[in-house]
Amino acid sequence: MRIVIAGAHGQVARRLGRLLSGRGDAVVGVIRNPDHAADLESDGVLPVALDLESTTVDELADVVRGADAVVFAAGAGPGSGEARKHTVDHAAAVLLAHAAERAGVRPYVLVSSMGVERAREGTPQGVDPVMAVYLQAKLRAEDEILPREALATTILRPGGLTDDPGTGRVTLGHGIGYGSVPRDDVAAVLVALIDARRDGAVVELVAGDTPVDEAVAGVP
């Protein structure tokens, strides 16, 4: 397959790129910083330098065209302020949806976050203000992308991300308790979700005891 990953230099995204390229898929990685191109090339990923905060739908559609799936794994990052939560975590995700629609690519996998539902009624109590904006931006992206009939969208909401070695076993479902999950396992689940081609699935992910393929097979 040909897979396009937006935010391809992120920690989960690089793991995903290596898994996909390692099995023979053609992987295109959209990055903001051209200095990161060599890292992606070492992963077997073709880098494309585009700033998702300033590029156009047409420019991004040209990259996406011919893909079998797109993955939005970009994020403003923990050191960014509130403004970039809106321009990256929300607006850039929607931009990729526009581009996929224009390019005629249906499968869209959105990496979101556990806890976004807490932001549905406004600012969650007891949550850091910047984190609250992050959750609100992720929720807005979900709400604007999921209903699009031209896309077959899967939304993955991981819990707290760790650098522990992956176990290949997870808990994947709806309304599960908050927990953490290794980035390795998030990437493995993303690969399985790309292959499963679900339409409209929204699932939460933490560490667990179910093999990844079995967990994804159980997603409605």
Side-chain angles (χ1 to χ4, degrees):
M1 294 192 294
R2 180 176 184 267
I3 310 297
V4 176
I5 304 173
H9 197 260
Q11 295 186 67
V12 169
R14 286 197 65 188
R15 287 167 167 83
L16 174 61
R18 289 192 290 265
L19 289 175
L20 292 170
S21 65
R23 70 178 193 175
D25 291 334
V27 187
V28 178
V30 179
I31 51 175
R32 181 174 61 89
N33 187 347
D35 292 341
H36 293 157
D39 289 339
L40 266 62
E41 290 169 348
S42 70
D43 295 337
V45 174
L46 175 66
V48 174
L50 277 181
D51 188 341
L52 295 174
E53 294 175 271
S54 61
T55 194
T56 67
V57 172
D58 285 336
E59 288 173 326
L60 189 54
D62 286 342
V63 176
V64 168
R65 191 166 286 110
D68 294 285
V70 298
V71 179
F72 186 84
S80 61
E82 295 183 8
R84 294 200 67 227
K85 306 302 184 192
H86 293 295
T87 57
V88 179
D89 294 288
H90 165 243
V94 174
L95 179 72
L96 181 62
H98 288 317
E101 287 176 324
R102 187 158 300 180
V105 177
R106 278 183 53 77
Y108 184 119
V109 179
L110 173 65
V111 181
S112 186
S113 173
M114 285 189 81
V116 294
E117 289 294 342
R118 298 176 61 190
R120 191 167 292 284
E121 303 302 325
T123 302
Q125 290 187 346
V127 176
D128 173 82
V130 176
M131 182 64 178
V133 172
Y134 166 77
L135 294 174
Q136 291 164 351
K138 285 291 190 185
L139 182 62
R140 286 181 64 198
E142 290 188 11
D143 287 347
E144 291 182 33
I145 295 168
L146 191 61
R148 295 176 182 235
E149 295 184 357
L151 300 178
T153 301
T154 300
I155 295 173
L156 179 65
R157 298 171 172 172
L161 302 174
T162 75
D163 289 326
D164 296 336
T167 67
R169 294 178 176 271
V170 298
T171 296
L172 187 68
H174 304 278
I176 62 178
Y178 188 84
S180 61
V181 60
R183 289 180 172 88
D184 289 345
D185 288 331
V186 178
V189 169
L190 287 170
V191 171
L193 289 172
I194 290 168
D195 291 344
R197 294 180 177 269
R198 294 291 188 268
D199 187 353
V202 181
V203 287
E204 297 165 335
L205 171 66
V206 296
D209 299 320
T210 306
V212 166
D213 288 343
E214 182 180 332
V216 170
V219 173

